[in-house]
Amino acid sequence: MAHSQADATIRYVILDVFTRVRFKGNPLAIVEMPPEGGLDHQIKQRIAREFNLSETVFLHPRTSEASQRAIDIFTTTQELPFAGHPTIGTLVYLSWGADIVGQQSFTLQTKAGLINAELHVQTGVAEASIPHSVRIHRKPVPWQSILKVQPSLKSVGDDGSSSSCPLVSIVKGMTFVLVNVLSVEELAALIVGGPRLDSIEWDQGWESFTAPYFYAIVSENRETRNIGVRARMIEPDCGEDPATGSAASALSAYLALQRGTAGTTYNFSIEQGIEMGRHSEIGVKVTLNNRGDGVSDVVLSGSAVLVSEGKLYL
C-alpha cells in the first residue's frame, strides 16, 4: 500500500555497536522522536517489535541543555532502564553531529539515571560512566539449573568446583547469572535455545529481567590489572546476543570485587559474538572504593558504525 503525503514521518538509523566493521557487533535502531510531540509507550513498543532487534533507542529532541539528551530503551517486549549497547551506540551517533568537535563531555538521561560520557571523535570511541547499584544476590543459581539449560557444560567456577553461579545486578532491572566455563571450547559448545533458567531467587525488591552470561577468562596481567574475557549471552526470548554491555559491566564489577584491591581500577576487554559471526569488542573499567568492598565507578566503552538510515511512516 502506498503511503499518503499526509503520513507523519520520523528519521531512524541502524548502527552496529561494539565494532568498527559493518555486519559485526550488535545492531541497534535509533529513532529520532519528533520535536512537536513525543511517541507514547504503545507506539514505541510497536516500533521496537517492527525493527525486531535486541534493543531500539528513542532519542528525545534537543533541549536548552545542549550537551544532554534523554533516551528510552525498548526490547521487542519491554522497556529497559539501562542497556549497554544502546548507550554506546547513541553516544557514538551523537558524536557524528556537526555541533560536536574533538572530545566533548556529554550526558544521557536514562530511566536508570544520568550517564556521563566522553566522546572521542577522532577515534570513534565513546566512554560512559554508567549508572550502577551493583548487587550480588544472596541466593546464587544452583549448578544443576545451569545444566538443564546447557547440558554440555562439565564444570563451573574459577577452580571448576563451584556448585552454583552468582546472580548479579548492575542496576535494578538488569540482572545476570554469571556462568564461568573453563575454556573457549566449552563456550563454543553452548546451544542456542532450550528452556529458561529456573531457581532464580532475587533479593526482595530486585525482581528483574534476568539472563545467563557465560564467560571464560582468557588472560590476566596482575601487574597492569588487564583482564581478557570471552563471553556469550544466550537467553530463550532473544536467542543469542552479539554484545551485551550491561552483562559485561555486571561481570566486570563482580570479577573486580572478587579480586578486591581497595581503590584499584581493573581493565576488562570482553569479546562476544564470535561464535555467531558478529565479533564484538567491549571495554569496561571498574574502580573499587577505598575499602575494596564496593564499586565506585564503572566505565563502559566501545565504537559503532552506521549501517543504514531512513524514514518511518507513522
Side-chain angles (χ1 to χ4, degrees):
M1 178 179 176
H3 65 83
S4 165
Q5 290 184 348
D7 290 341
T9 63
I10 51 177
R11 184 172 184 269
Y12 76 89
V13 295
I14 303 290
L15 279 62
D16 284 334
V17 185
F18 290 122
T19 183
R20 299 176 188 273
V21 181
R22 288 186 178 94
F23 316 121
K24 301 289 186 179
N26 198 354
L28 173 72
I30 300 177
V31 177
E32 295 196 10
M33 292 176 61
E36 65 274 9
L39 306 174
D40 65 30
H41 188 281
Q42 184 179 19
I43 293 176
K44 291 176 189 175
Q45 190 65 76
R46 289 169 63 187
I47 291 172
R49 283 199 298 268
E50 182 73 16
F51 280 117
N52 199 33
L53 300 175
S54 57
E55 280 105 12
T56 296
V57 165
F58 294 88
L59 179 63
H60 289 245
R62 286 182 177 87
T63 64
S64 57
E65 191 68 41
S67 62
Q68 181 170 316
R69 297 287 288 274
I71 62 172
D72 303 320
I73 303 170
F74 280 72
T75 71
T76 57
T77 59
Q78 63 182 316
E79 185 175 7
L80 298 178
F82 162 76
H85 100 278
T87 297
I88 295 299
T90 302
L91 288 167
V92 173
Y93 174 64
L94 291 172
S95 77
W96 298 334
D99 55 339
I100 298 176
V101 179
Q103 177 177 329
Q104 180 170 323
S105 298
F106 209 83
T107 302
L108 285 183
Q109 181 180 346
T110 71
K111 294 295 194 299
L114 296 178
I115 298 176
N116 296 318
E118 295 289 337
L119 308 176
H120 303 271
V121 176
Q122 296 302 319
T123 62
V125 171
E127 294 184 337
S129 294
I130 66 169
H132 59 276
S133 49
V134 178
R135 189 175 189 90
I136 302 173
H137 295 257
R138 288 190 296 272
K139 291 189 177 181
V141 177
W143 180 232
Q144 290 303 315
S145 294
I146 304 297
L147 284 178
K148 291 178 184 177
V149 176
Q150 295 292 343
S152 68
L153 292 179
K154 297 173 184 162
S155 51
V156 68
D158 290 334
D159 59 0
S161 62
S162 295
S163 59
S164 60
C165 299
L167 184 65
V168 180
S169 299
I170 184 65
V171 294
K172 272 192 174 183
M174 295 299 291
T175 303
F176 299 92
V177 183
L178 304 180
V179 184
N180 181 197
V181 304
L182 296 184
S183 68
V184 293
E185 290 76 19
E186 273 199 312
L187 202 63
L190 299 177
I191 60 172
V192 178
R196 290 178 177 277
L197 272 174
D198 57 16
S199 303
I200 304 294
E201 295 187 49
W202 304 276
D203 289 352
Q204 186 174 1
W206 281 77
E207 296 80 2
S208 77
F209 168 86
T210 302
Y213 197 54
F214 304 90
Y215 72 97
I217 296 175
V218 295
S219 65
E220 181 166 4
N221 186 318
R222 296 188 181 276
E223 292 185 2
T224 62
R225 297 182 175 86
N226 292 333
I227 301 170
V229 177
R230 281 274 300 275
R232 298 181 74 178
M233 202 283 270
I234 300 172
E235 199 272 337
D237 284 342
C238 63
E240 181 162 9
D241 196 32
T244 319
S246 52
S249 298
L251 172 64
S252 299
Y254 174 77
L255 293 177
L257 287 167
Q258 294 302 107
R259 283 144 179 82
T261 303
T264 296
T265 297
Y266 294 87
N267 307 296
F268 296 88
S269 297
I270 299 173
E271 293 181 288
Q272 189 178 332
I274 292 174
E275 293 79 7
M276 61 185 300
R278 299 197 66 101
H279 188 185
S280 304
E281 297 177 329
I282 307 168
V284 187
K285 293 181 181 179
V286 178
T287 301
L288 299 183
N289 63 20
N290 291 330
R291 298 184 305 276
D293 60 356
V295 173
S296 64
D297 197 23
V298 178
V299 177
L300 179 68
S301 64
S303 54
V305 61
L306 180 66
V307 175
S308 66
E309 56 187 328
K311 294 187 292 186
L312 278 172
Y313 292 89
L314 301 178

